Amino acid sequence: MWTMEELVDRVHTALAAEYSGAPNGRVRDLPDPRSIRWYSTIGLVDRPLGTRGRNALYGPRHLLQLVAIKRLQAAGRTLAEIQAELGGVSTEALTSLARVPAELLAAEPPPDPGAARGAFWKTPAAPPSPPRSTADWSFPAPAHDLPSGGPPGSAEVPPPARDPGGLAFGGADSLLTGVPLGAGVILLVPGAFRLDATDRAELATAARPLLDLLASRGRTDRRDS
C-alpha cells in the first residue's frame, strides 16, 4: 500500500511513457492529491484501503483507475463519460485500458512489526541473576555479619581500650535494672532483681550527695525533687 504522495509518483511514472496530455486546457495533465480526493468523493476512484496514522493508503487498483482516467481524457472523453464507462469495471479491464508497467503495480507490503522482534513468546526468559550480597551500613548488624575492615573507603580504626570501670555488654551483664533516685535521676544496676521499699530508701539516702552535686550543675529535674 502507498501514501497519497507515493500514489501520485507512480501515476506520473506510468503516464510518462505514452501520454500526450489532456486536449482540454481546463483539465490537468497529471492528477494531484486534490483531484484524486475529488475522484474518490464522486465514486470515480475507490475509497482508500485504510490509514497509517493520518495518511490514507492506496493500492494497485487506485493506480489503474487514475491512469485509465487520464488516458480516456487524453482521448477526448468527458468526466461524465469516463464515470459511466469505468463504473463497476473489473480489474482485468482496467489493466488492459491503463497499460501500467507491472513493476509499478507491485504493491510493497507494509512491514510486519513482529518480524523484527521475532516470536518473543517462544524465546525462553533468561534466568534472573542472583542478588549481589552487599553490606548495608545504614542499619546495625551483628558483628559476625559485617565484613572486616568496616564500610568501603573507611580507614581501619583500632577498637577502643576497654574501660575497666565500664559494663561488659553482650553477655549476661547486658541486662540492666533501673532504680529511680528522685529528681529525674535513675540508677542503672547490672542484672535483673527486685528491690523492696527499704532497699529503695537506703539507695536514695546513699545517693543524696550525688543528687546534690547533679542539682548544683543543673543536671536534675527540680520538679521531681
Side-chain angles (χ1 to χ4, degrees), residues 64-190:
L64 292 172
Q65 289 173 326
L66 291 170
V67 175
I69 291 170
K70 287 305 173 182
R71 293 201 188 283
L72 291 174
Q73 284 182 330
R77 306 284 186 87
T78 64
L79 200 60
E81 294 173 340
I82 296 173
Q83 189 172 12
E85 182 175 349
L86 297 183
V89 68
S90 65
T91 302
E92 290 75 11
L94 276 175
T95 303
S96 176
L97 177 61
R99 302 186 301 278
V100 175
E103 60 270 15
L104 293 178
L105 292 173
E108 300 175 359
D112 183 7
R117 296 182 302 169
F120 64 89
W121 60 90
K122 296 181 180 179
T123 305
S129 57
R132 297 179 58 186
S133 178
T134 56
D136 187 356
W137 298 98
S138 33
F139 295 94
H144 58 78
D145 289 341
L146 294 178
S148 60
S154 63
E156 294 188 3
V157 180
R162 179 175 177 180
D163 183 2
L167 296 177
F169 296 96
D173 294 337
S174 61
L175 181 62
L176 301 176
T177 300
V179 180
L181 300 179
V185 178
I186 298 177
L187 175 64
L188 298 179
V189 182

Side-chain angles (χ1 to χ4, degrees), residues 1-3 6 10 49-53 55-60 106-116:
M1 292 184 287
W2 314 303
T3 63
E6 293 170 339
R10 289 177 182 253
L49 297 176
T51 58
R52 183 188 300 155
N55 297 320
L57 298 177
Y58 302 87
E108 300 175 359
D112 183 7

